[in-house]
């Protein structure tokens, strides 16, 4: 029985990877998991021996696989929904760190590096949008499947894509729990600021309990069935992220600069190696501020398409609208934030700098509102990054069971994921200190390098032509940047040490 189950499992996985996320409309999707009884060696399987249209239609009607999974369960989205999802997933609390990078790079190089990173990752986004339906009639609605189609289904393809993509989903959710739970604690303290400590001390929660509160709320929202159903949640996340980014830089400018602000570079004078490491760390802050490539294809997978009209046009509209707004958040945050605090900016960015310098200049309501918007955005963003993990869990279930995941199983999967991320957040509360190291290993290749290589592997432009050379150079630079950022992060951790406060958030 064990051998039969293993044969069925691997046959289903092969079918899944062979068709990736193929969607033919009409009639129905051929992305299906066909598990039949094992056949003797040397004899073809049922679906291999009968390739007739009648047999194929029978299989399609029997197992419409993509309609079972949360990412492709509903494809009624539009350009507005795509823009909401992109804004929700791409603008994050990492953007509040941009003035820290400017404190090291200075005005000129800071603006240059931010502009180059913005254009570079925007170019790779449009590559992914075009690759989504690069083969007529086939849709790659998962970054992982597109990468395995480009790099191969063997060990290389899985190692190159599986760890970065899964970490960027699960790891980002852990970071959101740490950030969101910590901000909940700050919000509670802000509300109780004039209470003289009596009521607040009695009702005060520990950091672990705040993490738990955040996780419970996030998992309750995560019971929404599919990615397309999160449009309203993403709208809330998009609005709150734009609002708190704008408030942080606008109020920082309005309240004036602290005394002694200087714009001289904070580079170490010790050695060339130390300066180079500081520069790389600053560049790392900038390139890691742009995220969301690992969920872009999933977002595009919620848009309808057919043989005549693909999903590329509405997705491009969504990207254009969202990135105009992203630019309106990122550049003022970096420039105005650096102008307001100069090299006095704390290492944790504007989330710490603003209350540190202006707490007594703003009302409790204003501070509480900004903290509340950060929390709402973290809760909303959690849903987008968790969805690929939910989808992957259900792929495993449907591959083995050959049926749609029941509601109670889907709920258990999401509860398990919430419990697991909560456990990791409590176990490794110092994970934000490793953001540069882990981001250099995962986010930088996925965002700046892999799309170029996938374009070359799938589209196959003329060898040594302009397009081929440009993408090869860009992809290699992305991998080189990833290696340099990892080395710089390791050196910084070796010099400054790591406060590994296990189980003590």
């Amino acid at each position: 029985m064990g051998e039969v189950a293993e044969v069925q499992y691997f046959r289903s996985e092969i079918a899944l990877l062979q068709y990736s996320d193929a969607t033919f409309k009409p009639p129905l999707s051929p992305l299906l998991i066909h598990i039949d009884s094992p056949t003797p060696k040397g004899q073809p399987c049922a679906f291999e021996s009968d390739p007739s249209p009648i047999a194929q239609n029978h299989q399609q009607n029997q197992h419409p696989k993509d309609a079972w999974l949360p990412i492709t369960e509903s494809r009624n989205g539009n350009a507005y929904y795509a823009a909401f999802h992109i804004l929700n997933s791409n603008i994050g609390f990492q953007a509040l760190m941009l003035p820290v990078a400017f404190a090291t790079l200075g005005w000129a190089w800071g603006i240059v590096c931010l502009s180059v990173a913005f254009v570079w990752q925007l170019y790779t986004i449009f590559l992914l949008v075009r690759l989504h339906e690069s083969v007529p009639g086939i849709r790659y609605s998962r970054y992982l499947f597109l990468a395995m189609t480009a790099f191969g289904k063997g060990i290389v393809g899985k190692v190159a894509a599986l760890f970065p993509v899964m970490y960027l989903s699960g790891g980002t959710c852990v970071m959101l729990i740490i950030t969101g739970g910590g901000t909940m604690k700050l919000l509670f303290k802000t509300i109780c600021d004039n209470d003289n400590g009596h009521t607040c001390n009695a009702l005060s929660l520990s950091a672990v309990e705040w993490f738990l509160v955040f996780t419970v709320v996030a998992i309750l929202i995560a019971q929404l069935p599919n990615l397309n159903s999160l449009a309203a949640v993403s709208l809330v996340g998009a609005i709150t992220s734009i609002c708190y980014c704008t408030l942080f830089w606008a109020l920082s400018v309005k309240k004036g600069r602290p005394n002694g602000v200087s714009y001289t570079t904070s580079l170490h004078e010790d050695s060339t190696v130390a300066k180079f490491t500081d520069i790389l760390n600053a560049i790392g802050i900038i390139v890691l501020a742009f995220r969301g490539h690992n969920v872009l294809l999933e977002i595009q997978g919620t848009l309808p398409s057919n043989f005549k009209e693909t999903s590329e046009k509405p997705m491009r509209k969504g990207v254009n609208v969202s990135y105009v707004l992203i630019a309106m958040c990122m550049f003022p945050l970096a420039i105005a934030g650096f102008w307001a605090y100069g090299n006095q900016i704390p290492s944790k960015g504007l989330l710490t700098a603003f209350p540190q310098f202006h707490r007594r200049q703003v009302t409790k309501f204003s501070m509480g509102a900004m903290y509340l918007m950060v929390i709402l955005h973290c809760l909303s963003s959690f849903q987008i990054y968790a969805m690929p993990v939910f989808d992957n869990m259900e792929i495993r279930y449907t591959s083995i069971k050959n049926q749609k995941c029941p509601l109670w199983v889907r709920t258990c999967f999401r509860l398990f994921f919430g419990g697991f991320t909560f456990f990791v957040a409590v176990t490794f509360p110092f994970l934000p200190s490793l953001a540069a190291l882990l981001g250099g290993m995962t986010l930088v290749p996925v965002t700046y390098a892999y799309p170029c290589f996938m374009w070359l592997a799938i589209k196959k432009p003329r060898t040594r032509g302009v397009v081929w050379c440009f993408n090869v150079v860009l992809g290699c630079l992305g991998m080189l940047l990833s290696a340099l950022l990892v080395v710089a992060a390791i050196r910084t951790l070796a010099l400054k040490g790591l406060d590994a406060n296990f189980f003590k958030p």
Side-chain angles (χ1 to χ4, degrees), residues 349-479:
L350 291 176
L351 191 61
T352 303
F354 185 79
Q356 177 180 325
F357 291 105
H358 302 296
R359 177 175 292 276
R360 302 197 178 277
Q361 294 178 278
V362 295
T363 63
K364 182 191 298 187
F365 176 81
S366 298
M367 286 300 307
M370 286 192 287
Y371 286 146
L372 180 61
M373 285 187 281
V374 172
I375 294 167
L376 291 175
H377 176 241
C378 288
L379 288 169
S380 304
S381 188
F382 184 97
Q383 313 307 319
I384 300 294
Y385 283 97
M387 194 58 70
V389 181
F390 300 155
D391 186 81
N392 194 47
M393 289 178 176
E394 294 193 28
I395 283 175
R396 302 297 177 228
Y397 180 90
T398 55
S399 298
I400 297 172
K401 295 292 186 178
N402 194 30
Q403 65 180 13
K404 184 177 181 179
C405 193
L407 179 60
W408 70 271
V409 175
R410 173 175 283 185
T411 302
C412 289
F413 281 155
R414 301 185 182 195
L415 289 173
F416 169 78
F417 177 74
F420 177 75
T421 50
F422 169 73
F423 174 77
V424 174
V426 173
T427 307
F428 306 102
F430 54 89
L431 200 61
S433 302
L434 301 175
L437 175 62
L438 296 172
M441 295 170 59
T442 57
L443 188 145
V444 175
V446 166
T447 302
Y448 298 92
Y450 286 178
C452 302
F453 294 135
M454 291 191 290
W455 177 268
L456 295 173
I458 294 175
K459 300 297 285 187
K460 293 180 173 57
R462 183 171 60 87
T463 304
R464 296 184 181 179
V466 175
V467 174
W468 186 89
C469 291
F470 181 77
N471 282 282
V472 167
V473 171
L474 209 59
C476 291
L477 285 175
M479 295 306 295

Side-chain angles (χ1 to χ4, degrees), residues 121-371:
Q121 58 88 38
L122 188 59
Y123 169 75
T124 56
I125 276 183
F126 284 119
L127 289 184
L128 291 174
V129 170
R130 294 191 62 185
L131 286 173
H132 183 267
E133 292 180 76
S134 55
V135 179
I138 298 179
R139 298 186 67 173
Y140 297 101
S141 294
R142 295 161 182 85
Y143 192 105
L144 180 59
F145 288 172
L146 179 63
M148 294 178 71
T149 300
F151 302 143
K153 304 176 184 68
I155 296 177
V156 175
K158 289 183 178 180
V159 170
L162 184 60
F163 170 69
V165 171
M166 286 298 101
Y167 169 77
L168 287 175
S169 293
T172 301
C173 289
V174 173
M175 296 281 284
L176 289 168
I177 291 175
I178 295 172
T179 304
T183 309
M184 281 183 168
K185 188 175 182 179
L186 291 175
L187 175 61
F188 184 80
K189 287 184 177 180
T190 301
I191 294 174
C192 299
D193 192 27
N194 297 326
D195 187 62
N196 296 323
H198 299 298
T199 305
C200 287
N201 287 336
L203 301 177
S204 174
L205 300 179
S206 65
V208 174
E209 290 170 328
W210 283 118
F211 286 5
L212 182 60
V213 170
F214 180 90
T215 305
V216 168
V217 177
I219 294 303
L220 285 175
I221 300 173
Q223 299 308 312
L224 290 171
N226 52 64
L227 184 57
N228 195 43
S229 66
L230 291 173
V233 176
S234 289
L235 175 60
V236 172
I239 292 173
T240 53
S241 61
I242 293 172
C243 287
Y244 77 70
C245 287
T246 304
L247 283 174
F248 268 115
W249 71 259
L251 289 178
S252 296
V253 171
K254 181 180 178 181
K255 299 303 178 183
R257 294 176 293 179
N259 295 328
V261 168
S262 172
Y263 302 109
T264 57
T265 179
S266 60
L267 285 174
H268 290 96
E269 301 293 339
D270 301 336
S271 66
T272 303
V273 175
K275 290 181 180 179
F276 188 64
T277 301
D278 288 346
I279 291 172
L280 285 175
N281 287 331
I283 293 174
I285 291 173
I286 290 175
V287 299
L288 295 178
F290 299 101
R291 58 180 192 165
H293 282 57
N294 61 303
V295 294
L296 187 81
L297 292 172
E298 285 80 351
I299 293 170
Q300 191 170 353
T302 64
L303 303 180
S305 70
N306 52 49
F307 281 112
K308 294 182 179 179
E309 296 182 5
T310 68
S311 61
E312 181 180 343
K313 186 175 179 180
M315 188 63 180
R316 288 178 70 94
K317 288 182 180 178
V319 170
N320 290 335
V321 171
S322 59
Y323 266 84
V324 168
L325 295 174
I326 289 172
M328 292 171 62
C329 290
M330 295 284 195
F331 283 88
L333 268 176
I335 296 172
F338 182 53
W339 177 88
Y341 304 107
N343 56 17
Q344 293 188 22
I345 185 80
S347 60
K348 293 185 178 180
L350 291 176
L351 191 61
T352 303
F354 185 79
Q356 177 180 325
F357 291 105
H358 302 296
R359 177 175 292 276
R360 302 197 178 277
Q361 294 178 278
V362 295
T363 63
K364 182 191 298 187
F365 176 81
S366 298
M367 286 300 307
M370 286 192 287
Y371 286 146

Side-chain angles (χ1 to χ4, degrees), residues 94 97-106 109-118 120 267 275-290 435-436 439-440 443-444 448 477-478 480-482 484-486 488-489:
Q94 294 91 339
M97 295 284 294
L98 288 173
V100 180
F102 273 52
T104 299
L105 299 173
W109 284 110
I111 294 174
V112 168
C113 290
L114 182 59
S115 301
V116 169
F118 180 83
W120 188 349
L267 285 174
K275 290 181 180 179
F276 188 64
T277 301
D278 288 346
I279 291 172
L280 285 175
N281 287 331
I283 293 174
I285 291 173
I286 290 175
V287 299
L288 295 178
F290 299 101
L443 188 145
V444 175
Y448 298 92
L477 285 175
L480 177 62
L481 178 62
S482 173
L484 291 175
L485 292 180
V486 169

